[in-house]
């Protein structure tokens, strides 16, 4: 299993990433794409069913792909999985398939990476009823400081939406996030993770090197390394 090295920029949520010197990526494979995780230095993988690409006809086959992938040591988390009120199938199907993936996460001791759009009540209710032992990471977060506090108080980690991080108005959220609970990501967009580290280190009044140490420590805690 490939691990981030001290000094690496960690990009916690990527699609279609390429290995690059000094950057460690967590590549998010979606079951409907039917791609395999390979052992490549600088890359680890998540594997899961994205709610956008889920329907009544494909969900069983996608679950069996997740079950096949989860035994691969390069696959270190389940997801992205979750809820989307703006796109995807019925809330009921989204809920069922999310819960099936949480069970896979728990049984295999691999944490969850979560996509959540306008479904925070559903997410919090699932967290309450499923009582997971594995930590959950919300990717693409762009909610209020209050919502961030609510989620992190339940033990969840947040990765802030790439576009929002780079905007000046994200500074307030970034300053109020518990530093032991956050990550940065490019989500497959044409942006540079290094620019995000520069922006956030400015917001927090620390150096890029200190921010790298902080995020590496969050990575180790999230994955129980
Ligand atoms: Zn994504």
């Amino acid at each position: 299993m490939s691990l981030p090295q001290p000094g690496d920029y960690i990009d916690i949520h990527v699609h279609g990433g390429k290995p690059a010197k000094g950057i460690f990526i967590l590549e998010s494979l979606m079951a409907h794409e039917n791609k395999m995780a390979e052992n490549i230095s600088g890359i680890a993988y998540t594997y899961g069913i994205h709610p956008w690409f889920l329907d009544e006809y494909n969900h069983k086959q996608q679950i069996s792909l997740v079950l096949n992938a989860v035994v691969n040591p390069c696959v270190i988390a389940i997801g992205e999985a979750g809820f989307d009120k703006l796109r995807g199938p019925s809330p009921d199907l989204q809920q069922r398939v999310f819960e099936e993936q949480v069970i896979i996460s728990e049984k295999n001791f691999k944490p969850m990476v979560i996509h959540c759009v306008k479904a925070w009540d559903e997410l919090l209710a699932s967290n309450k009823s499923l009582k997971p032992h594995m930590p959950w990471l919300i990717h693409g977060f762009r909610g209020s400081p209050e919502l961030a506090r609510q989620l992190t108080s339940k033990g969840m980690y947040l990765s802030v939406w790439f576009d929002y991080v780079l905007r000046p108005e994200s500074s307030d959220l970034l300053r109020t996030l518990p530093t032991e609970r956050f990550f940065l990501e490019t989500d497959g967009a044409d942006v540079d993770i290094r620019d995000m580290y520069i922006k956030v280190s400015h917001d927090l009044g620390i150096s890029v090197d200190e921010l790298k140490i902080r995020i590496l420590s969050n990575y180790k805690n999230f994955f129980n390394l």
Side-chain angles (χ1 to χ4, degrees), residues 143-157:
S144 64
E146 293 73 42
L147 178 60
R149 255 193 298 278
Q150 211 180 348
L151 297 167
T152 54
S153 75
K154 306 287 179 226
M156 294 185 213
Y157 290 70

Side-chain angles (χ1 to χ4, degrees), residues 154-171:
K154 306 287 179 226
M156 294 185 213
Y157 290 70
L158 304 177
S159 173
V160 188
W161 185 40
F162 66 89
D163 193 44
Y164 188 53
V165 166
L166 292 171
R167 289 191 226 149
E169 62 263 34
S170 65
S171 303

Side-chain angles (χ1 to χ4, degrees), residues 1-151:
M1 180 181 119
S2 177
L3 292 170
Q5 299 305 309
D8 279 354
Y9 292 88
I10 296 175
D11 186 347
I12 206 73
H13 188 84
V14 182
H15 297 276
K18 302 269 177 303
K21 199 172 165 356
I23 298 177
F24 182 85
I25 67 176
L26 186 55
E27 171 76 13
S28 179
L29 298 178
M30 299 181 277
H32 76 280
E33 301 172 312
N34 211 349
K35 286 187 197 149
M36 304 295 274
E38 300 166 67
N39 196 355
I40 300 171
S41 165
I43 304 186
Y45 299 84
T46 71
Y47 197 102
I49 304 172
H50 194 298
W52 291 358
F53 305 104
L54 169 66
D55 62 42
E56 283 291 352
Y57 308 100
N58 68 17
H59 83 271
K60 287 209 172 78
Q61 192 223 351
Q62 291 203 68
I63 285 286
S64 67
L65 289 168
V66 176
L67 288 167
N68 284 340
V70 72
V71 296
N72 183 335
C74 300
V75 173
I76 61 172
I78 304 301
E80 59 189 292
F83 306 91
D84 198 316
K85 285 266 178 78
L86 302 181
R87 201 171 151 185
S90 69
D92 175 63
L93 181 63
Q94 293 193 28
Q95 180 83 35
R96 269 192 287 140
V97 174
F98 177 72
E99 291 187 4
E100 284 179 63
Q101 292 179 91
V102 172
I103 291 165
I104 296 171
S105 144
E106 293 289 305
K107 277 193 182 152
N108 292 277
F109 306 103
K110 296 187 180 184
M112 291 292 296
V113 176
I114 293 170
H115 169 107
C116 185
V117 175
K118 298 192 184 295
W120 302 107
D121 290 346
E122 288 82 349
L123 182 77
L124 286 161
S126 290
N127 188 262
K128 197 172 176 188
S129 66
L130 297 168
K131 297 183 181 60
H133 295 98
M134 288 293 108
W136 291 7
L137 164 68
I138 316 296
H139 105 83
F141 185 77
R142 65 188 110 158
S144 64
E146 293 73 42
L147 178 60
R149 255 193 298 278
Q150 211 180 348
L151 297 167

